[in-house]
Structure formats: structure tokens, C-alpha cells
mmCIF file of all heavy atoms in Angstrom:
data_model
loop_
_atom_site.group_PDB
_atom_site.id
_atom_site.type_symbol
_atom_site.label_atom_id
_atom_site.label_comp_id
_atom_site.label_asym_id
_atom_site.label_seq_id
_atom_site.Cartn_x
_atom_site.Cartn_y
_atom_site.Cartn_z
ATOM 1 N N ALA A 1 8.667 -5.346 -13.186
ATOM 2 C CA ALA A 1 8.590 -3.995 -12.627
ATOM 3 C C ALA A 1 7.277 -3.719 -11.919
ATOM 4 O O ALA A 1 7.168 -2.739 -11.171
ATOM 5 C CB ALA A 1 8.812 -2.972 -13.742
ATOM 6 N N ASN A 2 6.266 -4.544 -12.154
ATOM 7 C CA ASN A 2 4.953 -4.307 -11.547
ATOM 8 C C ASN A 2 4.228 -5.637 -11.334
ATOM 9 O O ASN A 2 4.733 -6.703 -11.705
ATOM 10 C CB ASN A 2 4.120 -3.371 -12.431
ATOM 11 C CG ASN A 2 4.072 -3.844 -13.870
ATOM 12 O OD1 ASN A 2 3.737 -4.990 -14.142
ATOM 13 N ND2 ASN A 2 4.437 -2.963 -14.805
ATOM 14 N N SER A 3 3.040 -5.550 -10.778
ATOM 15 C CA SER A 3 2.300 -6.771 -10.424
ATOM 16 C C SER A 3 1.871 -7.552 -11.662
ATOM 17 O O SER A 3 1.876 -8.790 -11.651
ATOM 18 C CB SER A 3 1.069 -6.412 -9.584
ATOM 19 O OG SER A 3 0.181 -5.561 -10.304
ATOM 20 N N GLU A 4 1.512 -6.836 -12.759
ATOM 21 C CA GLU A 4 1.086 -7.529 -13.974
ATOM 22 C C GLU A 4 2.226 -8.378 -14.539
ATOM 23 O O GLU A 4 2.032 -9.547 -14.904
ATOM 24 C CB GLU A 4 0.605 -6.518 -15.025
ATOM 25 C CG GLU A 4 -0.734 -5.872 -14.712
ATOM 26 C CD GLU A 4 -0.646 -4.805 -13.635
ATOM 27 O OE1 GLU A 4 0.484 -4.428 -13.252
ATOM 28 O OE2 GLU A 4 -1.710 -4.368 -13.152
ATOM 29 N N ASP A 5 3.430 -7.765 -14.599
ATOM 30 C CA ASP A 5 4.592 -8.510 -15.102
ATOM 31 C C ASP A 5 4.937 -9.678 -14.179
ATOM 32 O O ASP A 5 5.294 -10.764 -14.643
ATOM 33 C CB ASP A 5 5.813 -7.579 -15.218
ATOM 34 C CG ASP A 5 5.648 -6.525 -16.302
ATOM 35 O OD1 ASP A 5 4.727 -6.684 -17.141
ATOM 36 O OD2 ASP A 5 6.424 -5.554 -16.310
ATOM 37 N N ALA A 6 4.820 -9.439 -12.868
ATOM 38 C CA ALA A 6 5.153 -10.484 -11.890
ATOM 39 C C ALA A 6 4.240 -11.688 -12.038
ATOM 40 O O ALA A 6 4.697 -12.845 -12.074
ATOM 41 C CB ALA A 6 5.063 -9.924 -10.471
ATOM 42 N N MET A 7 2.930 -11.455 -12.143
ATOM 43 C CA MET A 7 1.980 -12.570 -12.240
ATOM 44 C C MET A 7 2.095 -13.264 -13.591
ATOM 45 O O MET A 7 1.894 -14.479 -13.696
ATOM 46 C CB MET A 7 0.552 -12.067 -12.013
ATOM 47 C CG MET A 7 0.301 -11.474 -10.625
ATOM 48 S SD MET A 7 0.936 -12.490 -9.263
ATOM 49 C CE MET A 7 -0.068 -13.965 -9.440
ATOM 50 N N ALA A 8 2.448 -12.490 -14.640
ATOM 51 C CA ALA A 8 2.649 -13.100 -15.957
ATOM 52 C C ALA A 8 3.838 -14.059 -15.906
ATOM 53 O O ALA A 8 3.791 -15.163 -16.473
ATOM 54 C CB ALA A 8 2.872 -12.021 -17.012
ATOM 55 N N GLU A 9 4.921 -13.668 -15.227
ATOM 56 C CA GLU A 9 6.094 -14.538 -15.096
ATOM 57 C C GLU A 9 5.759 -15.775 -14.263
ATOM 58 O O GLU A 9 6.210 -16.881 -14.568
ATOM 59 C CB GLU A 9 7.254 -13.768 -14.455
ATOM 60 C CG GLU A 9 7.854 -12.686 -15.329
ATOM 61 C CD GLU A 9 8.543 -13.260 -16.563
ATOM 62 O OE1 GLU A 9 8.996 -14.415 -16.520
ATOM 63 O OE2 GLU A 9 8.618 -12.552 -17.583
ATOM 64 N N MET A 10 4.963 -15.597 -13.220
ATOM 65 C CA MET A 10 4.551 -16.733 -12.383
ATOM 66 C C MET A 10 3.739 -17.729 -13.183
ATOM 67 O O MET A 10 3.895 -18.955 -13.038
ATOM 68 C CB MET A 10 3.723 -16.252 -11.187
ATOM 69 C CG MET A 10 4.509 -15.587 -10.084
ATOM 70 S SD MET A 10 5.705 -16.675 -9.275
ATOM 71 C CE MET A 10 4.664 -18.033 -8.772
ATOM 72 N N ASN A 11 2.858 -17.226 -14.042
ATOM 73 C CA ASN A 11 2.002 -18.109 -14.837
ATOM 74 C C ASN A 11 2.783 -18.840 -15.924
ATOM 75 O O ASN A 11 2.402 -19.941 -16.330
ATOM 76 C CB ASN A 11 0.858 -17.314 -15.465
ATOM 77 C CG ASN A 11 -0.154 -16.839 -14.431
ATOM 78 O OD1 ASN A 11 -0.338 -17.497 -13.411
ATOM 79 N ND2 ASN A 11 -0.792 -15.714 -14.682
ATOM 80 N N LYS A 12 3.885 -18.233 -16.397
ATOM 81 C CA LYS A 12 4.731 -18.922 -17.381
ATOM 82 C C LYS A 12 5.368 -20.154 -16.758
ATOM 83 O O LYS A 12 5.278 -21.267 -17.269
ATOM 84 C CB LYS A 12 5.841 -17.983 -17.880
ATOM 85 C CG LYS A 12 5.411 -16.937 -18.877
ATOM 86 C CD LYS A 12 6.645 -16.116 -19.286
ATOM 87 C CE LYS A 12 6.252 -14.898 -20.097
ATOM 88 N NZ LYS A 12 7.446 -14.044 -20.381
ATOM 89 N N GLU A 13 6.047 -19.926 -15.630
ATOM 90 C CA GLU A 13 6.768 -20.995 -14.933
ATOM 91 C C GLU A 13 7.095 -20.514 -13.526
ATOM 92 O O GLU A 13 7.762 -19.483 -13.359
ATOM 93 C CB GLU A 13 8.060 -21.356 -15.668
ATOM 94 C CG GLU A 13 8.888 -22.426 -14.998
ATOM 95 C CD GLU A 13 8.234 -23.800 -15.027
ATOM 96 O OE1 GLU A 13 7.443 -24.055 -15.982
ATOM 97 O OE2 GLU A 13 8.487 -24.596 -14.120
ATOM 98 N N PRO A 14 6.655 -21.198 -12.480
ATOM 99 C CA PRO A 14 6.979 -20.763 -11.119
ATOM 100 C C PRO A 14 8.495 -20.756 -10.906
ATOM 101 O O PRO A 14 9.188 -21.703 -11.286
ATOM 102 C CB PRO A 14 6.304 -21.816 -10.239
ATOM 103 C CG PRO A 14 5.224 -22.395 -11.093
ATOM 104 C CD PRO A 14 5.764 -22.371 -12.486
ATOM 105 N N PRO A 15 9.048 -19.703 -10.305
ATOM 106 C CA PRO A 15 10.492 -19.644 -10.070
ATOM 107 C C PRO A 15 10.897 -20.468 -8.847
ATOM 108 O O PRO A 15 10.043 -20.955 -8.109
ATOM 109 C CB PRO A 15 10.728 -18.151 -9.825
ATOM 110 C CG PRO A 15 9.456 -17.697 -9.165
ATOM 111 C CD PRO A 15 8.354 -18.486 -9.838
ATOM 112 N N GLY A 16 12.201 -20.589 -8.648
ATOM 113 C CA GLY A 16 12.682 -21.277 -7.455
ATOM 114 C C GLY A 16 12.543 -20.411 -6.227
ATOM 115 O O GLY A 16 12.437 -20.925 -5.103
ATOM 116 N N LEU A 17 12.529 -19.079 -6.423
ATOM 117 C CA LEU A 17 12.404 -18.133 -5.306
ATOM 118 C C LEU A 17 11.975 -16.785 -5.873
ATOM 119 O O LEU A 17 12.271 -16.452 -7.023
ATOM 120 C CB LEU A 17 13.750 -18.018 -4.569
ATOM 121 C CG LEU A 17 13.845 -17.058 -3.382
ATOM 122 C CD1 LEU A 17 14.690 -17.681 -2.263
ATOM 123 C CD2 LEU A 17 14.479 -15.723 -3.797
ATOM 124 N N MET A 18 11.287 -15.978 -5.038
ATOM 125 C CA MET A 18 10.880 -14.637 -5.464
ATOM 126 C C MET A 18 11.404 -13.626 -4.465
ATOM 127 O O MET A 18 11.292 -13.811 -3.247
ATOM 128 C CB MET A 18 9.348 -14.543 -5.550
ATOM 129 C CG MET A 18 8.856 -13.127 -5.884
ATOM 130 S SD MET A 18 7.049 -12.965 -5.842
ATOM 131 C CE MET A 18 6.610 -13.647 -7.438
ATOM 132 N N ILE A 19 11.994 -12.541 -4.994
ATOM 133 C CA ILE A 19 12.357 -11.373 -4.182
ATOM 134 C C ILE A 19 11.349 -10.293 -4.521
ATOM 135 O O ILE A 19 11.245 -9.869 -5.686
ATOM 136 C CB ILE A 19 13.797 -10.911 -4.480
ATOM 137 C CG1 ILE A 19 14.788 -12.022 -4.106
ATOM 138 C CG2 ILE A 19 14.122 -9.629 -3.709
ATOM 139 C CD1 ILE A 19 16.223 -11.718 -4.490
ATOM 140 N N LEU A 20 10.590 -9.827 -3.544
ATOM 141 C CA LEU A 20 9.398 -9.006 -3.809
ATOM 142 C C LEU A 20 9.409 -7.725 -2.989
ATOM 143 O O LEU A 20 9.517 -7.752 -1.755
ATOM 144 C CB LEU A 20 8.144 -9.832 -3.474
ATOM 145 C CG LEU A 20 6.790 -9.156 -3.596
ATOM 146 C CD1 LEU A 20 6.521 -8.719 -5.035
ATOM 147 C CD2 LEU A 20 5.694 -10.103 -3.103
ATOM 148 N N ASP A 21 9.286 -6.594 -3.678
ATOM 149 C CA ASP A 21 9.175 -5.291 -3.011
ATOM 150 C C ASP A 21 7.733 -5.095 -2.545
ATOM 151 O O ASP A 21 6.778 -5.430 -3.264
ATOM 152 C CB ASP A 21 9.577 -4.176 -3.994
ATOM 153 C CG ASP A 21 9.696 -2.824 -3.313
ATOM 154 O OD1 ASP A 21 9.642 -2.778 -2.068
ATOM 155 O OD2 ASP A 21 9.836 -1.818 -4.031
ATOM 156 N N ILE A 22 7.578 -4.544 -1.336
ATOM 157 C CA ILE A 22 6.231 -4.303 -0.801
ATOM 158 C C ILE A 22 5.506 -3.211 -1.583
ATOM 159 O O ILE A 22 4.344 -3.342 -1.951
ATOM 160 C CB ILE A 22 6.302 -3.908 0.695
ATOM 161 C CG1 ILE A 22 6.549 -5.146 1.556
ATOM 162 C CG2 ILE A 22 5.012 -3.228 1.135
ATOM 163 C CD1 ILE A 22 5.356 -6.049 1.715
ATOM 164 N N TRP A 23 6.215 -2.125 -1.866
ATOM 165 C CA TRP A 23 5.579 -0.964 -2.504
ATOM 166 C C TRP A 23 5.906 -0.945 -3.984
ATOM 167 O O TRP A 23 7.064 -0.856 -4.379
ATOM 168 C CB TRP A 23 6.043 0.339 -1.852
ATOM 169 C CG TRP A 23 5.891 0.322 -0.361
ATOM 170 C CD1 TRP A 23 6.874 0.201 0.565
ATOM 171 C CD2 TRP A 23 4.670 0.410 0.361
ATOM 172 N NE1 TRP A 23 6.357 0.201 1.816
ATOM 173 C CE2 TRP A 23 4.989 0.335 1.737
ATOM 174 C CE3 TRP A 23 3.318 0.549 0.000
ATOM 175 C CZ2 TRP A 23 4.034 0.380 2.735
ATOM 176 C CZ3 TRP A 23 2.368 0.603 0.998
ATOM 177 C CH2 TRP A 23 2.722 0.525 2.342
ATOM 178 N N LEU A 24 4.885 -1.036 -4.831
ATOM 179 C CA LEU A 24 5.069 -1.065 -6.279
ATOM 180 C C LEU A 24 4.246 0.055 -6.915
ATOM 181 O O LEU A 24 3.008 0.044 -6.854
ATOM 182 C CB LEU A 24 4.630 -2.423 -6.849
ATOM 183 C CG LEU A 24 5.418 -3.653 -6.372
ATOM 184 C CD1 LEU A 24 4.741 -4.933 -6.862
ATOM 185 C CD2 LEU A 24 6.856 -3.608 -6.871
ATOM 186 N N LYS A 25 4.919 1.000 -7.534
ATOM 187 C CA LYS A 25 4.221 2.106 -8.189
ATOM 188 C C LYS A 25 3.526 1.621 -9.462
ATOM 189 O O LYS A 25 4.016 0.729 -10.146
ATOM 190 C CB LYS A 25 5.207 3.227 -8.547
ATOM 191 C CG LYS A 25 5.865 3.884 -7.343
ATOM 192 C CD LYS A 25 6.868 4.932 -7.807
ATOM 193 C CE LYS A 25 7.596 5.562 -6.621
ATOM 194 N NZ LYS A 25 8.642 6.519 -7.062
ATOM 195 N N ASP A 26 2.430 2.258 -9.775
ATOM 196 C CA ASP A 26 1.702 1.989 -11.019
ATOM 197 C C ASP A 26 1.344 0.505 -11.165
ATOM 198 O O ASP A 26 1.418 -0.075 -12.260
ATOM 199 C CB ASP A 26 2.525 2.434 -12.244
ATOM 200 C CG ASP A 26 2.895 3.905 -12.179
ATOM 201 O OD1 ASP A 26 2.034 4.701 -11.747
ATOM 202 O OD2 ASP A 26 4.036 4.240 -12.549
ATOM 203 N N SER A 27 0.960 -0.128 -10.063
ATOM 204 C CA SER A 27 0.583 -1.540 -10.074
ATOM 205 C C SER A 27 -0.813 -1.728 -9.504
ATOM 206 O O SER A 27 -1.225 -1.006 -8.585
ATOM 207 C CB SER A 27 1.574 -2.381 -9.255
ATOM 208 O OG SER A 27 2.802 -2.517 -9.918
ATOM 209 N N ARG A 28 -1.509 -2.691 -10.067
ATOM 210 C CA ARG A 28 -2.863 -3.005 -9.575
ATOM 211 C C ARG A 28 -2.811 -3.648 -8.190
ATOM 212 O O ARG A 28 -3.716 -3.484 -7.381
ATOM 213 C CB ARG A 28 -3.542 -3.945 -10.572
ATOM 214 C CG ARG A 28 -4.973 -4.323 -10.237
ATOM 215 C CD ARG A 28 -5.589 -5.126 -11.361
ATOM 216 N NE ARG A 28 -4.773 -6.284 -11.700
ATOM 217 C CZ ARG A 28 -4.858 -7.465 -11.062
ATOM 218 N NH1 ARG A 28 -5.702 -7.609 -10.059
ATOM 219 N NH2 ARG A 28 -4.100 -8.475 -11.438
ATOM 220 N N MET A 29 -1.727 -4.412 -7.911
ATOM 221 C CA MET A 29 -1.571 -5.124 -6.643
ATOM 222 C C MET A 29 -0.290 -4.652 -5.959
ATOM 223 O O MET A 29 0.714 -4.391 -6.624
ATOM 224 C CB MET A 29 -1.488 -6.631 -6.885
ATOM 225 C CG MET A 29 -2.668 -7.218 -7.642
ATOM 226 S SD MET A 29 -2.283 -8.866 -8.341
ATOM 227 C CE MET A 29 -2.074 -9.837 -6.857
ATOM 228 N N ASP A 30 -0.326 -4.566 -4.617
ATOM 229 C CA ASP A 30 0.914 -4.291 -3.901
ATOM 230 C C ASP A 30 1.596 -5.608 -3.548
ATOM 231 O O ASP A 30 1.137 -6.701 -3.913
ATOM 232 C CB ASP A 30 0.654 -3.438 -2.648
ATOM 233 C CG ASP A 30 -0.219 -4.154 -1.613
ATOM 234 O OD1 ASP A 30 -0.358 -5.396 -1.692
ATOM 235 O OD2 ASP A 30 -0.749 -3.465 -0.723
ATOM 236 N N GLY A 31 2.731 -5.508 -2.851
ATOM 237 C CA GLY A 31 3.507 -6.710 -2.552
ATOM 238 C C GLY A 31 2.754 -7.750 -1.735
ATOM 239 O O GLY A 31 2.876 -8.959 -1.984
ATOM 240 N N ILE A 32 1.969 -7.297 -0.765
ATOM 241 C CA ILE A 32 1.206 -8.230 0.072
ATOM 242 C C ILE A 32 0.164 -8.968 -0.767
ATOM 243 O O ILE A 32 -0.046 -10.179 -0.601
ATOM 244 C CB ILE A 32 0.541 -7.502 1.255
ATOM 245 C CG1 ILE A 32 1.603 -6.976 2.235
ATOM 246 C CG2 ILE A 32 -0.419 -8.425 1.984
ATOM 247 C CD1 ILE A 32 2.376 -8.059 2.958
ATOM 248 N N ASP A 33 -0.479 -8.263 -1.691
ATOM 249 C CA ASP A 33 -1.468 -8.900 -2.572
ATOM 250 C C ASP A 33 -0.802 -9.965 -3.449
ATOM 251 O O ASP A 33 -1.347 -11.053 -3.651
ATOM 252 C CB ASP A 33 -2.149 -7.858 -3.463
ATOM 253 C CG ASP A 33 -3.044 -6.911 -2.675
ATOM 254 O OD1 ASP A 33 -3.555 -7.342 -1.624
ATOM 255 O OD2 ASP A 33 -3.210 -5.759 -3.101
ATOM 256 N N ILE A 34 0.377 -9.627 -3.995
ATOM 257 C CA ILE A 34 1.109 -10.601 -4.815
ATOM 258 C C ILE A 34 1.516 -11.800 -3.971
ATOM 259 O O ILE A 34 1.410 -12.951 -4.404
ATOM 260 C CB ILE A 34 2.355 -9.942 -5.453
ATOM 261 C CG1 ILE A 34 1.933 -8.850 -6.440
ATOM 262 C CG2 ILE A 34 3.221 -10.994 -6.155
ATOM 263 C CD1 ILE A 34 3.098 -8.051 -6.997
ATOM 264 N N LEU A 35 1.994 -11.528 -2.750
ATOM 265 C CA LEU A 35 2.381 -12.600 -1.828
ATOM 266 C C LEU A 35 1.223 -13.563 -1.597
ATOM 267 O O LEU A 35 1.380 -14.789 -1.668
ATOM 268 C CB LEU A 35 2.847 -11.983 -0.504
ATOM 269 C CG LEU A 35 3.127 -12.948 0.659
ATOM 270 C CD1 LEU A 35 4.273 -13.877 0.316
ATOM 271 C CD2 LEU A 35 3.435 -12.161 1.936
ATOM 272 N N LYS A 36 0.035 -13.022 -1.336
ATOM 273 C CA LYS A 36 -1.148 -13.857 -1.107
ATOM 274 C C LYS A 36 -1.458 -14.710 -2.332
ATOM 275 O O LYS A 36 -1.744 -15.909 -2.224
ATOM 276 C CB LYS A 36 -2.360 -12.991 -0.775
ATOM 277 C CG LYS A 36 -2.325 -12.333 0.595
ATOM 278 C CD LYS A 36 -3.588 -11.490 0.791
ATOM 279 C CE LYS A 36 -3.602 -10.789 2.129
ATOM 280 N NZ LYS A 36 -4.817 -9.951 2.300
ATOM 281 N N ALA A 37 -1.420 -14.078 -3.519
ATOM 282 C CA ALA A 37 -1.775 -14.796 -4.747
ATOM 283 C C ALA A 37 -0.790 -15.921 -5.038
ATOM 284 O O ALA A 37 -1.181 -17.036 -5.422
ATOM 285 C CB ALA A 37 -1.828 -13.813 -5.920
ATOM 286 N N VAL A 38 0.513 -15.628 -4.856
ATOM 287 C CA VAL A 38 1.531 -16.650 -5.139
ATOM 288 C C VAL A 38 1.423 -17.800 -4.142
ATOM 289 O O VAL A 38 1.490 -18.979 -4.523
ATOM 290 C CB VAL A 38 2.944 -16.032 -5.110
ATOM 291 C CG1 VAL A 38 4.013 -17.120 -5.212
ATOM 292 C CG2 VAL A 38 3.109 -15.034 -6.252
ATOM 293 N N LYS A 39 1.247 -17.482 -2.863
ATOM 294 C CA LYS A 39 1.152 -18.531 -1.848
ATOM 295 C C LYS A 39 -0.121 -19.357 -1.998
ATOM 296 O O LYS A 39 -0.172 -20.514 -1.602
ATOM 297 C CB LYS A 39 1.219 -17.908 -0.445
ATOM 298 C CG LYS A 39 2.628 -17.536 -0.024
ATOM 299 C CD LYS A 39 3.509 -18.778 0.016
ATOM 300 C CE LYS A 39 4.950 -18.500 0.285
ATOM 301 N NZ LYS A 39 5.770 -19.716 0.258
ATOM 302 N N ARG A 40 -1.136 -18.755 -2.607
ATOM 303 C CA ARG A 40 -2.386 -19.472 -2.847
ATOM 304 C C ARG A 40 -2.202 -20.524 -3.947
ATOM 305 O O ARG A 40 -2.612 -21.669 -3.791
ATOM 306 C CB ARG A 40 -3.481 -18.485 -3.254
ATOM 307 C CG ARG A 40 -4.834 -19.128 -3.589
ATOM 308 C CD ARG A 40 -5.754 -18.084 -4.188
ATOM 309 N NE ARG A 40 -5.252 -17.621 -5.474
ATOM 310 C CZ ARG A 40 -5.494 -16.409 -5.977
ATOM 311 N NH1 ARG A 40 -6.191 -15.523 -5.298
ATOM 312 N NH2 ARG A 40 -5.009 -16.076 -7.170
ATOM 313 N N ASP A 41 -1.556 -20.127 -5.033
ATOM 314 C CA ASP A 41 -1.448 -21.014 -6.197
ATOM 315 C C ASP A 41 -0.135 -21.786 -6.259
ATOM 316 O O ASP A 41 -0.070 -22.855 -6.878
ATOM 317 C CB ASP A 41 -1.623 -20.206 -7.490
ATOM 318 C CG ASP A 41 -2.989 -19.553 -7.589
ATOM 319 O OD1 ASP A 41 -3.944 -20.119 -7.017
ATOM 320 O OD2 ASP A 41 -3.097 -18.488 -8.223
ATOM 321 N N ASN A 42 0.922 -21.244 -5.648
ATOM 322 C CA ASN A 42 2.241 -21.905 -5.675
ATOM 323 C C ASN A 42 2.862 -21.833 -4.280
ATOM 324 O O ASN A 42 3.854 -21.108 -4.058
ATOM 325 C CB ASN A 42 3.159 -21.229 -6.698
ATOM 326 C CG ASN A 42 2.630 -21.339 -8.121
ATOM 327 O OD1 ASN A 42 2.830 -22.333 -8.801
ATOM 328 N ND2 ASN A 42 1.941 -20.292 -8.560
ATOM 329 N N PRO A 43 2.295 -22.561 -3.317
ATOM 330 C CA PRO A 43 2.753 -22.443 -1.922
ATOM 331 C C PRO A 43 4.196 -22.869 -1.712
ATOM 332 O O PRO A 43 4.803 -22.508 -0.704
ATOM 333 C CB PRO A 43 1.784 -23.367 -1.160
ATOM 334 C CG PRO A 43 1.243 -24.312 -2.187
ATOM 335 C CD PRO A 43 1.189 -23.528 -3.458
#
């Protein structure tokens, strides 16, 4: 539901694909920030 949960799931095990909303309420990172982080560590 938010960036913290998303990054926690990524750190558990990278998925085969991610569907990502740009605008995330009550999140430290927006969709573009998450996109950058995922592409940095799991291109």
C-alpha cells in the first residue's frame, strides 16, 4: 500500500514484475522514487 511495504517486499525477494502507482498517499517515496531505487538495485 505504500513505499515502505513495497521496498520491504523487494528486499525479501525481487518479483517477476512490478505494477506501480505514481501517487502514493502517506508514503516517504513516490512512484518515481521507488522506480529509481528498484532499477538501481534490481535492473
Side-chain angles (χ1 to χ4, degrees):
N2 51 52
S3 61
E4 288 76 10
D5 292 345
M7 297 313 296
E9 291 294 333
M10 285 297 305
N11 290 330
K12 283 181 190 175
E13 178 68 28
L17 179 140
M18 175 185 280
I19 298 174
L20 177 62
D21 189 9
I22 283 286
W23 308 106
L24 297 172
K25 296 177 183 176
D26 303 320
S27 287
R28 182 174 54 85
M29 304 162 66
D30 64 17
I32 293 293
D33 292 332
I34 295 174
L35 172 63
K36 289 180 181 179
V38 172
K39 282 299 174 182
R40 178 189 66 208
D41 298 331
N42 297 277

